[in-house]
């Protein structure tokens, strides 16, 4: 790397290597260019800039002359794993910040605003509003967070396909279970919680792919932006004839240009010692798409809404009480079938 910088690029004896012009001009704050091992500094001075590009130059030459090591049980080489830190995180060559959207309204968050009962102020209507929206779109997957001073408010939505005949029994069993922490609504490929035994069928239809690192993750507009976003899995896209749009966030069906599924990510964190603000990601679909999914797979759709609120001022009694015992999250389950629409665990109709 030194030979590349000093000899090939002609920086040997260059005055700027001794006195970085931007550093001499006071462009960097104290410790802004400090780095440790493979960390990236907040401010990139000339030495880091040259070293970074020389490293990639040498890596490229090695890749052209040497065979990268790959474990027989791994799907990619060790070079690919290493280079993922410096490449763009998105495979479509767009930046993570390109997926950033404004914070959606009506996610289900509720500000504490000094109210002592904030942890418990959740109503039945809050669960319905968390997934059935006023514009008729349906949130089928969501991980929404809002952090404030010593408090956090999280709203999760998950869904999967279930056998129509046994689906109502599963919803009743989950809703009346002693705890809401002994199950998981599966994503696609979740073999531990996928069931296919006679009438007992439970299968994920959404993907929430692993989010790897990348150089664009250091972009301030990418801070806490969750990408990849939730999305229909590949076999569902084939069954329903869904095609992703160029931005990788919307899906159209057939020859229509209007999206029938929209994923989005958001983050509006305040900088400071304790980051505060909202962040999250979700997938929304049209009612017509959800019905098409249920019809073409001959399944029902089970959906879970979970509210998880925390207040550090109660950390001495973390979610426990002498009389109540362990205090669980707030969870409700719903079931969709083409003929009956949305129903709760009692079988009662659910509407916004």
């Amino acid at each position: 790397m030194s030979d590349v910088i000093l000899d090939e690029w002609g920086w040997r004896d260059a005055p700027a290597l001794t006195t970085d012009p931007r550093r001499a001009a006071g462009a960097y704050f104290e410790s802004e260019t400090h780095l440790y091992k493979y960390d990236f500094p907040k401010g990139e001075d000339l030495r880091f800039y040259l070293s970074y590009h020389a490293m990639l130059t040498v890596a490229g030459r090695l890749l052209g002359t040497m065979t990268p090591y790959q474990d027989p049980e791994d799907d990619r080489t060790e070079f690919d794993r290493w280079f993922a830190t410096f490449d763009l995180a998105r495979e479509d060559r767009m930046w993570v910040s390109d997926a950033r959207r404004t914070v959606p309204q009506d996610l289900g968050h509720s500000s504490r605003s000094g109210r002592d009962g904030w942890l418990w102020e959740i109503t039945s209507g809050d669960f319905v509003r968390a997934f059935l929206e006023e514009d008729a779109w349906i949130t089928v997957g969501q991980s929404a967070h809002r952090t404030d001073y010593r408090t956090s408010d999280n709203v999760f939505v998950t869904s999967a396909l279930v056998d129509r005949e046994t689906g109502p029994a599963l919803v009743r069993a989950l809703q009346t279970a002693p705890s809401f922490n002994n199950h998981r609504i599966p994503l696609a490929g979740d073999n531990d919680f996928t069931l296919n035994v006679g009438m007992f069928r439970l299968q994920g239809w959404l993907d929430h792919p692993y989010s790897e690192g990348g150089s664009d993750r250091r972009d301030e507009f990418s801070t806490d932006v969750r990408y990849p976003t939730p999305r229909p899995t590949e076999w569902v896209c084939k069954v329903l004839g869904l095609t992703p749009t160029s931005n990788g966030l919307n899906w159209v069906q057939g020859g229509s240009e209007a999206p029938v599924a929209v994923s989005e990510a958001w983050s509006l964190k305040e900088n400071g010692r304790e980051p505060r603000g909202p962040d999250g990601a979700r997938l929304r679909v049209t009612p017509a798409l959800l019905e098409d999914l249920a019809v073409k797979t001959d399944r029902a759709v089970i959906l879970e809404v979970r509210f998880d609120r925390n207040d550090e001022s109660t950390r001495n009694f973390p979610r426990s009480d002498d009389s109540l015992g362990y205090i669980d999250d707030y969870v409700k389950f719903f079931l969709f079938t083409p003929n009956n629409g949305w129903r709760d665990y009692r079988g009662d109709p659910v509407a916004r």
Side-chain angles (χ1 to χ4, degrees), residues 124 167-176 331-335 342-350:
S124 296
L170 177 60
V171 171
R172 289 193 298 270
L174 291 173
Q175 191 67 73
T176 57
V331 181
K332 278 191 177 293
F333 300 89
F334 304 91
L335 190 71
W342 287 104
R343 303 272 176 165
D344 63 13
Y345 80 106
R346 297 186 182 91
D348 295 333
V350 173

Side-chain angles (χ1 to χ4, degrees), residues 139-253:
T139 299
V140 292
Q142 174 179 286
S143 178
H145 314 267
R146 190 174 72 181
T147 305
D148 207 338
Y149 177 66
R150 304 182 71 185
T151 65
S152 63
D153 185 10
N154 310 300
V155 186
F156 304 99
V157 179
T158 55
S159 62
L161 300 174
V162 65
D163 190 277
R164 293 189 188 181
E165 186 172 349
T166 57
L170 177 60
V171 171
R172 289 193 298 270
L174 291 173
Q175 191 67 73
T176 57
S179 172
F180 296 133
N181 291 320
N182 296 328
H183 76 281
R184 183 167 69 234
I185 301 297
L187 293 170
D190 183 354
N191 296 326
D192 290 336
F193 283 82
T194 297
L195 298 174
N196 189 12
V197 182
M199 296 186 302
F200 301 100
R201 296 184 294 174
L202 179 65
Q203 182 181 17
W205 71 285
L206 299 179
D207 279 331
H208 203 157
Y210 168 74
S211 178
E212 67 177 17
S215 59
D216 50 333
R217 291 283 184 189
R218 303 195 300 277
D219 175 15
E220 290 189 3
F221 286 103
S222 298
T223 302
D224 289 332
V225 173
R226 299 168 185 269
Y227 188 90
T229 50
R231 57 200 57 224
T233 193
E234 184 177 353
W235 70 265
V236 169
C237 290
K238 290 181 179 179
V239 169
L240 301 183
L242 299 179
T243 304
T245 58
S246 58
N247 65 6
L249 298 173
N250 302 337
W251 287 261
V252 296
Q253 190 173 30

Side-chain angles (χ1 to χ4, degrees), residues 22 42 44 50 68 70 73 86 104 109 166 170 180 187 203-204 228 233 238 244 254 262 288 300 303 337 349:
R22 287 180 293 183
K42 184 176 181 180
E44 300 179 3
L50 292 173
Q70 182 172 356
E73 298 181 356
F86 310 102
H109 294 311
T166 57
L170 177 60
F180 296 133
L187 293 170
Q203 182 181 17
T233 193
K238 290 181 179 179
V262 174
L303 183 140
T337 54

Side-chain angles (χ1 to χ4, degrees), residues 257-316:
E257 296 183 359
V260 293
V262 174
S263 65
E264 52 193 336
W266 61 90
S267 179
L268 192 60
K269 292 291 188 68
E270 297 179 8
N271 294 326
R273 185 173 182 180
E274 296 183 8
R276 299 158 65 179
D279 68 274
R282 68 177 179 178
L283 174 68
R284 303 188 303 148
V285 301
T286 63
L289 179 65
L290 194 71
E291 184 162 352
D292 195 24
L293 172 68
V295 169
K296 290 185 177 178
T297 60
D298 192 28
R299 306 285 181 89
V301 178
I302 184 173
L303 183 140
E304 172 189 332
V305 179
R306 179 182 294 263
F307 285 84
D308 173 28
R309 291 182 177 177
N310 298 279
D311 188 339
E312 288 188 19
S313 65
T314 63
R315 65 183 180 274
N316 292 331

